[in-house]
Amino acid sequence: MNTMQAVRLHGIGDLRVETVEIPRNPRPDEIIVAVEAAGICGSDLHNFRTGMWMSRTPSIPGHEFVGRIVAAGSAVATLVEGERVIADSRVTCGTCDMCSGGRSNLCRSIGYVGEVIDGGFAPFVRLRERQVLRLADQALSPTVAAMAEPLAVALHAVNRLAPRHGEPIAITGAGPIGAMAALLLKHQGFGPLLIADRNSDRRASVTRLTGAEPVEVTGIQAPLLCETTGSASVLAAVLAQMPAGGRIASVGIFHERGDLDLNRIVEGEIELVGCAAFSDELHIANELLTPLSSQLSQLASEPIALSEVPAAYAQLVQGQAPHIKTIIVPA
């Protein structure tokens, strides 16, 4: 068999399931991975809706996935065939000042798997050795292992928030990153936690898993806040209510521009910090998958097939998915 089915993005709003060639014959520094499970990310939906990161079309999306190495190039030194690996979504130059300074998530020419190179919404994917990390727990379920990358994103946001023990922490958005941030904060002993989301099912799920108090956006007055919705109106609302000296870590991808009360930031000495993907947190997230596996598994949908992905995109764009994380099994 020389072909496989894959999901490909051809343009804004144009997602298709098509027959493509199976990647073979890895170059010396490449591996071929048989994808076991992949997750749909909010940035996948953002690219689908806006084309913001389209650098080549058609392309196979998917940067959150786990799989098993089925072929390795002659120069691959740290991995062997048969090992299970998780994806490092970042495609970096490795030489710019940001990369050499330990901030590769801010690489001057950064791209991402699923955009500048084909991703995991297919049974097989070709990657460079440095694009993957050996799965710490080789026996972990594919559903949980596929969440390593978004868990690293959530961990980076938590680290940027720099929480303080005993102080209330609010999270706007009970999607995957918001839910995982809440799980991480609880695991690390921070809180009390507050969670706001207009989707009552998702908010209830996070409340049940973390003990967070469900609140409305208009009722948030916590000194620390993690913003995951990517809604300009939500960010403006929480900024207006933020106590002086507070901090907001913003990780959601915005679809629109908005107006912020900049004087509120100045006069209240409020810190608004951006959170771009992750720096070195993937290694830590890899180790956290096992202790958090029970909770993470409860965030996931029943796995869907590649043929169901376009319909899943439509449901997610409308905010109608009852579950928090959509998982694909490409095989």
Side-chain angles (χ1 to χ4, degrees):
M1 183 177 67
N2 296 318
T3 60
M4 62 182 182
Q5 294 295 104
V7 175
R8 295 209 293 177
L9 184 63
H10 284 258
I12 295 174
D14 187 357
L15 193 72
R16 311 177 197 174
V17 181
E18 300 179 318
T19 300
V20 299
E21 288 189 4
I22 294 175
R24 301 181 186 278
N25 303 318
R27 298 180 183 90
D29 65 341
E30 290 181 338
I31 58 172
I32 307 296
V33 175
V35 180
E36 297 175 336
I40 298 177
C41 176
S43 62
D44 294 322
L45 302 176
H46 183 77
N47 209 23
F48 170 77
R49 292 172 62 181
T50 70
M52 179 175 175
W53 300 296
M54 284 185 190
S55 59
R56 50 191 279 278
T57 56
S59 62
I60 300 174
H63 57 267
E64 305 175 358
F65 58 89
V66 61
R68 191 176 299 277
I69 299 173
V70 295
S74 58
V76 173
T78 62
L79 302 164
V80 298
E81 291 182 25
E83 284 188 318
R84 300 176 72 206
V85 293
I86 52 177
D88 183 334
S89 58
R90 306 163 303 169
V91 181
T92 61
C93 71
T95 58
C96 71
D97 58 331
M98 288 297 177
C99 287
S100 59
R103 304 188 73 183
S104 54
N105 59 317
L106 303 180
C107 172
R108 300 296 181 184
S109 58
I110 195 165
Y112 288 91
V113 174
E115 294 158 11
V116 296
I117 60 174
D118 285 336
F121 290 179
F124 298 93
V125 60
R126 178 195 303 272
L127 298 166
R128 297 178 70 178
E129 181 180 13
R130 69 180 187 179
Q131 295 304 144
V132 300
L133 183 65
R134 184 183 184 276
L135 181 63
D137 181 352
Q138 290 281 295
L140 202 61
S141 78
T143 293
V144 172
M147 297 191 212
E149 197 272 355
L151 188 63
V153 173
L155 182 58
H156 184 64
V158 167
N159 288 341
R160 295 279 287 163
L161 183 64
R164 301 176 287 259
H165 284 284
E167 287 196 305
I169 303 170
I171 300 168
T172 47
I177 302 303
M180 291 182 194
L183 288 176
L184 288 164
L185 287 164
K186 180 187 178 185
H187 182 71
Q188 295 172 355
F190 292 106
L193 304 177
L194 312 173
I195 184 76
D197 195 293
R198 64 184 180 182
N199 185 315
S200 59
D201 290 335
R202 297 197 309 188
R203 185 174 66 178
S205 294
V206 176
T207 297
R208 174 173 49 82
L209 287 173
T210 67
E213 177 187 350
V215 295
E216 299 298 325
V217 168
T218 53
I220 294 175
Q221 291 189 340
L224 298 168
L225 184 138
C226 186
E227 205 307 290
T228 75
T229 68
S231 165
S233 62
V234 169
L235 179 57
V238 297
L239 175 60
Q241 300 158 185
M242 175 65 60
R247 183 183 301 116
I248 300 172
S250 186
V251 63
I253 299 296
F254 291 86
H255 298 295
E256 79 282 13
R257 294 181 180 271
D259 293 324
L260 297 180
D261 184 351
L262 300 181
N263 284 329
R264 178 74 188 131
I265 295 175
V266 174
E267 294 173 356
E269 291 195 350
I270 293 169
E271 298 177 60
L272 176 58
V273 298
C275 310
F278 53 90
S279 52
D280 59 355
E281 287 91 355
L282 186 61
H283 293 270
I284 303 168
N286 190 16
E287 299 291 340
L288 286 171
L289 288 172
T290 298
L292 292 176
S293 61
S294 175
Q295 297 96 319
L296 289 170
S297 65
Q298 294 179 63
L299 302 181
S301 68
E302 286 295 320
I304 64 172
L306 289 173
S307 60
E308 301 173 272
V309 172
Y313 264 55
Q315 187 182 44
L316 288 164
V317 165
Q318 295 300 317
Q320 297 173 347
H323 44 264
I324 291 175
K325 191 66 186 177
T326 301
I327 297 293
I328 305 161
V329 174

